[in-house]
Amino acid sequence: MSKVIYDTERRKVLGEIYPGDRIVRASSVEALKDLESAPEGETFTKIYHKVLPKLAQCKLSSAEWVVFLYLGANLRYISNVAKYPNGRLITRESLQKDLNFPEITVKRAVLRLISEGLIIEARTMEGKVFIVNPFILSVGDKVSRTVYDLFRKSKWARW
């Protein structure tokens, strides 16, 4: 049985409502006129409000912040693995090159981020990958059960 839009004054069917269609009130449409969208093609990474004070307490160095945010800006949906847009893995060597950091700076930053529970470095069939803690940063609203389980006992887990 289909649902229809019916004009009671004119006693006329104006159209049909299909599965997935939504009815939007005129006031909602009006409110949307005052909003701007993000630039087309842009993606975003979310950081949870509740972790911000705890992140500040970590007292990360500027190099550690740069590495963490760089990884966070390159996360893949669901896996939370840091990869370039072309799918290539981000490695310690590529961090050195991309960020123009010495090898020792990247090594220290990665070790500190791991010790704080912000990231892990894991060996996979693709190679070594950086996985960012989804309780801190993520892309979208879903994360794989495997990644969830990797971090569920961390001090950052809240659900």
Side-chain angles (χ1 to χ4, degrees):
M1 181 171 168
S2 75
K3 296 181 180 182
V4 296
I5 305 166
Y6 187 74
D7 184 336
T8 55
E9 290 178 9
R10 291 188 239 155
R11 298 180 182 199
K12 180 178 176 184
V13 174
L14 300 176
E16 288 187 55
I17 298 177
Y18 300 98
D21 286 354
R22 295 178 183 227
I23 298 171
V24 181
R25 297 187 186 282
S27 59
S28 296
V29 172
E30 191 62 34
L32 290 174
K33 289 180 182 175
D34 292 335
L35 302 177
E36 292 293 331
S37 296
E40 192 171 327
E42 286 289 326
T43 59
F44 62 89
T45 302
K46 65 182 174 185
I47 185 167
Y48 297 98
H49 287 189
K50 289 184 177 183
V51 302
L52 289 172
K54 287 174 79 173
L55 277 173
Q57 291 170 0
C58 289
K59 296 187 177 6
L60 298 176
S61 71
S62 58
E64 293 160 354
W65 270 114
V66 168
V67 170
F68 182 64
L69 293 175
Y70 188 79
L71 294 173
N74 287 287
L75 294 183
R76 293 295 139 248
Y77 181 67
I78 307 234
S79 70
N80 250 35
V81 170
K83 289 184 176 184
Y84 293 104
N86 66 6
R88 205 177 90 231
L89 296 176
I90 294 177
T91 63
R92 289 185 187 212
E93 294 77 23
S94 63
L95 284 172
Q96 288 170 226
K97 183 181 173 195
D98 296 347
L99 302 174
N100 198 25
F101 282 172
E103 180 182 358
I104 191 67
T105 301
V106 170
K107 181 180 179 177
R108 286 180 183 154
V110 166
L111 291 175
R112 177 77 193 290
L113 295 173
I114 291 170
S115 73
E116 290 291 342
L118 303 175
I119 66 170
I120 62 166
E121 192 173 21
R123 187 169 301 282
T124 67
M125 290 174 41
E126 285 185 90
K128 264 189 171 177
V129 298
F130 291 110
I131 305 172
V132 175
N133 189 326
F135 294 99
I136 302 166
L137 287 175
S138 65
V139 175
D141 61 351
K142 303 274 188 267
V143 66
S144 77
R145 174 63 63 187
T146 303
V147 172
Y148 176 89
D149 287 343
L150 286 171
F151 292 97
R152 72 182 163 84
K153 293 184 179 176
S154 75
K155 66 181 179 182
W156 304 94
R158 295 175 313 288
W159 60 86

